[in-house]
Amino acid sequence: MEFREFGPYRIEGLIGRGGMGEVYRAFDTEHQRTVALKVLTENLAADRNYRERFRREAYAAARLSDPHIVPIHRYGEIDGRLFLDMRLVRGRDLAAVLAEEGPLSPARAVSVVSQVARALDAAHAEGLVHRDVKPSNVLVCTAASDEGDDEDEFVYLVDFGIARSVMSDGAPALTQAGSAVGSFDYMAPERFLERPADARCDVYSLACVLFELLTGRRPFLATDLAPLMWAHLHETPPAVSTLRPEVPAALDEVVAMGLAKDPDERWRSAGAMASAARRALSAAGMRLRADAAPPADTSPGPRSVAQPVGFSDPGRPMPEPASSAATAEAPPGPQWGTAPTASRSGPEPLPSRTGPEPSPSTGSIGATRFLASPPVPPPPGSRGIPEPTPPRRSWLPAALLGTAALLAVALIAVVLVAGTGGASAEPAPDPPGPGPRQDDLLAVLPADFDAADCRPAPAAGDGDVAAVDCGPSATQPGPRTSRFFLYPDGEAVGAAFAADVARLGLPELTGGATCPGSQGYLDWTLDGRVMGKLACYIDEQNTAVLVWTETEDAVEAVVRIRNGGTAGLTALMEWWNNAEVTTFGG
């Protein structure tokens, strides 16, 4: 039944409806403004865990000040219903633009994605992950112009995860009733595996959007859930330039890196992917679009802090909102209001990899360090590099590699169609935060990596005191992914390295053998003095891996080039031999 009134809001019309609630055009009688009002289903307010998460994430989202994020005025609970009061702005969602106009020009597509990337980077900086980046959650507003073109398009990213199931932080909730399969077209592979949803999930989804803007189709064309999941986990989409020849080939790798199955191989941030896309256009001689200003009728001005309303249990104190002049009503026209999207639960979590306990005396180079972040800490001695010797265990769950797995996934699709509700699940752990020694590690990074581009990484669990991911090196050809670890002292980093090479079965290189001509490990020296250890190998997935330690700074680096093979290992060694860019503390 439609509302006529909801607390101080007078309902003027329904904008959209989804499995978790409705979005209305409403008039706020207290502040005399028209707003977009999202009202969630009644049962969500009865869930204590969901209410607390809703309040926490609404508070975080309301603090975001990026102009590409629609402001939240108020949020809370009225008459047993959770709600969000947001600015109502005029425009079309990107899905409608694609349906009406087809694929966008490369310059226009990159401009749209760049604006979405700014919103995502702002959210990620505050620890908030969107979890549902897709065209229907991107609002395109065009300022009036005499030319009537789309040069002044201003983009908003809407519908952050605050209105989604508490399950969605750790699982896509595949079996929840009322879910729409559409979101799965943009879902990162690790989300099907019940891994934590961190910023890299949003990067993958944004790469899916960029693919669709450039080609007019989604990366994977499967329409049923089971084959769509399989495609995200296993298949490689075609290069965008093969589907649309007018797209510069330089964009192929930009999109492919964003769509990497392994989160560690994606762009380090949404902004990094957008910057690479702009460079690709420039290199192809295409004109870049200037940044558009917000349409005059939606310019936020000084933003007030959203006001929490009506929670029955006290929450974190919030400042009172500023004058409503900062949130003036948008003029009549096409209005935004994306219906809430339900989330779904997925397969069983992938167990953490185990193996023979490493011997401290014979030691190793990390067996799972480059896998997607596991939901539980890896056991000691199991640290994140792919195994170089059989049997190779992929980061994808073995259960999805056979016919039985496909049948099991198909059953999930049947349950989805039947509308069976999914079982509740505990939220996944938050992404790792900065450790007490992280600044010490960032201070000694090699010169080819910028500390500003690094993010906290899961601990190796073998005595390390800090760990960071820093993405690709500035100098290319060079590493496509990198991870650095800090240990208490040189003895500890030496013991960790020794445990690593023993576990991987890497031989010591003697008799003048060196990388990349031979695979194994050895001491490396500078001016005749042993500085640390170096190991190199190619794993069974043809990934080139290089690991080195520096005893003086008690640090270890692990870098790699996926599918690099012998050429990749050669490129890594040539890059590493440039001491100006690879020396720790340099």
Side-chain angles (χ1 to χ4, degrees):
M1 186 173 73
E2 303 292 347
F3 291 105
R4 292 186 179 275
E5 292 185 351
F6 182 75
Y9 300 98
R10 184 173 67 245
I11 304 302
E12 297 182 345
L14 179 68
I15 296 174
R17 173 179 286 118
M20 299 186 72
E22 300 84 29
V23 181
Y24 298 96
R25 177 187 172 99
F27 185 75
D28 179 354
T29 59
E30 290 184 356
H31 297 87
Q32 297 296 298
R33 63 190 174 199
T34 301
V35 301
L37 183 70
K38 175 176 288 188
V39 183
L40 306 187
T41 56
E42 194 168 4
N43 63 301
L44 292 176
D47 184 329
R48 181 176 179 181
N49 289 334
Y50 184 86
R51 289 173 66 252
E52 179 55 35
R53 182 172 189 82
F54 172 86
R55 176 168 50 197
R56 185 170 66 248
E57 293 199 12
Y59 172 72
R63 293 175 60 227
L64 299 177
S65 59
D66 187 88
H68 296 285
I69 297 174
V70 176
I72 295 174
H73 302 145
R74 294 197 290 185
Y75 62 91
E77 179 183 345
I78 294 176
D79 297 333
R81 302 287 292 271
L82 297 173
F83 76 95
L84 286 166
D85 167 346
M86 298 164 287
R87 178 184 300 281
L88 186 67
V89 294
R90 54 186 306 203
R92 295 182 296 164
D93 69 58
L94 195 54
V97 172
L98 284 167
E100 295 168 12
E101 303 178 22
L104 310 187
S105 69
R108 187 181 178 193
V110 170
S111 173
V112 168
V113 165
S114 295
Q115 295 181 64
V116 176
R118 294 186 193 107
L120 287 174
D121 284 351
H124 296 160
E126 293 291 333
L128 191 63
V129 180
H130 189 284
R131 301 194 292 268
D132 198 22
V133 178
K134 58 185 178 181
S136 60
N137 279 338
V138 176
L139 179 67
V140 181
C141 303
T142 306
S145 66
D146 295 336
E147 293 78 14
D149 58 25
D150 52 35
E151 286 291 314
D152 295 322
E153 283 181 335
F154 189 84
V155 170
Y156 292 96
L157 177 63
V158 300
D159 203 16
F160 274 81
I162 48 182
R164 244 164 242 115
S165 167
V166 71
M167 289 186 290
S168 65
D169 204 34
L174 300 174
T175 57
Q176 180 150 345
S179 298
V181 175
S183 291
F184 290 114
D185 288 290
Y186 311 92
M187 188 175 289
E190 61 270 26
R191 294 209 54 208
F192 293 108
L193 307 180
E194 294 191 345
R195 297 187 182 277
D198 62 20
R200 296 170 296 180
C201 295
D202 286 345
V203 172
Y204 182 94
S205 298
L206 186 60
C208 290
V209 172
L210 178 56
F211 184 103
E212 186 171 1
L213 295 182
L214 292 170
T215 66
R217 49 155 281 190
R218 295 167 181 172
F220 305 108
L221 298 180
T223 56
D224 294 330
L225 178 57
L228 185 58
M229 289 176 63
W230 176 267
H232 278 292
L233 289 165
H234 296 282
E235 295 179 3
T236 300
V240 292
S241 64
T242 64
L243 298 175
R244 195 173 172 214
E246 60 266 40
V247 173
L251 279 174
D252 290 345
E253 187 164 348
V254 175
V255 176
M257 189 167 171
L259 292 175
K261 307 298 185 187
D262 185 340
D264 286 331
E265 296 216 345
R266 293 177 203 147
W267 296 103
R268 63 183 179 272
S269 66
M273 183 175 74
S275 295
R278 290 194 297 272
R279 289 194 300 270
L281 286 185
S282 181
M286 290 191 170
R287 182 175 64 89
L288 300 176
R289 292 183 173 219
D291 291 342
D297 55 19
T298 59
S299 180
R303 290 179 66 141
S304 59
V305 176
Q307 178 186 6
V309 175
F311 283 110
S312 56
D313 52 328
R316 180 173 180 175
M318 309 283 184
E320 289 296 316
S323 165
S324 61
T327 51
E329 174 193 353
Q335 306 294 334
W336 167 74
T338 304
T341 303
S343 55
R344 313 159 190 213
S345 64
E348 290 299 315
L350 176 67
S352 61
R353 294 177 60 154
T354 58
E357 284 295 323
S359 165
S361 61
T362 58
S364 143
I365 290 175
T368 58
R369 182 175 290 171
F370 274 99
L371 303 184
S373 303
V376 294
S382 178
R383 309 184 339 155
I385 305 178
E387 300 279 3
T389 53
R392 171 68 192 165
R393 194 182 286 182
S394 169
W395 75 282
L396 300 174
L400 286 174
L401 299 180
T403 304
L406 284 177
L407 292 175
V409 177
L411 285 176
I412 295 176
V414 172
V415 173
L416 174 65
V417 173
T420 303
S424 62
E426 290 298 320
D430 292 332
R437 298 290 304 278
Q438 183 177 307
D439 288 344
D440 295 338
L441 176 55
L442 294 175
V444 298
L445 288 178
D448 221 20
F449 299 92
D450 188 341
D453 295 333
C454 301
R455 61 177 184 268
D462 58 359
D464 60 318
V465 294
V468 293
D469 279 320
C470 296
S473 60
T475 303
Q476 292 292 330
R480 298 296 299 273
T481 64
S482 62
R483 188 169 289 185
F484 299 94
F485 298 85
L486 179 68
Y487 290 82
D489 50 43
E491 182 177 353
V493 71
F497 182 92
D500 287 346
V501 295
R503 186 173 192 277
L504 293 174
L506 294 179
E508 183 175 9
L509 300 180
T510 58
T514 60
C515 294
S518 300
Q519 298 181 39
Y521 72 95
L522 71 166
D523 294 333
W524 69 273
T525 62
L526 183 65
D527 297 329
R529 184 164 66 98
V530 174
M531 303 297 293
K533 298 285 188 180
L534 173 70
C536 71
Y537 67 92
I538 300 170
D539 73 9
E540 287 198 345
Q541 292 184 341
N542 205 34
T543 295
V545 184
L546 183 68
V547 185
W548 81 96
T549 67
E550 200 160 302
T551 305
E552 183 175 337
D553 290 316
V555 286
E556 182 178 54
V558 183
V559 299
R560 68 176 185 165
I561 298 176
R562 185 175 184 180
N563 200 32
T566 302
L569 201 57
T570 300
L572 287 178
M573 283 304 303
E574 290 177 353
W575 170 84
W576 182 80
N577 277 312
N578 182 358
E580 291 185 0
V581 299
T582 60
T583 300
F584 280 102

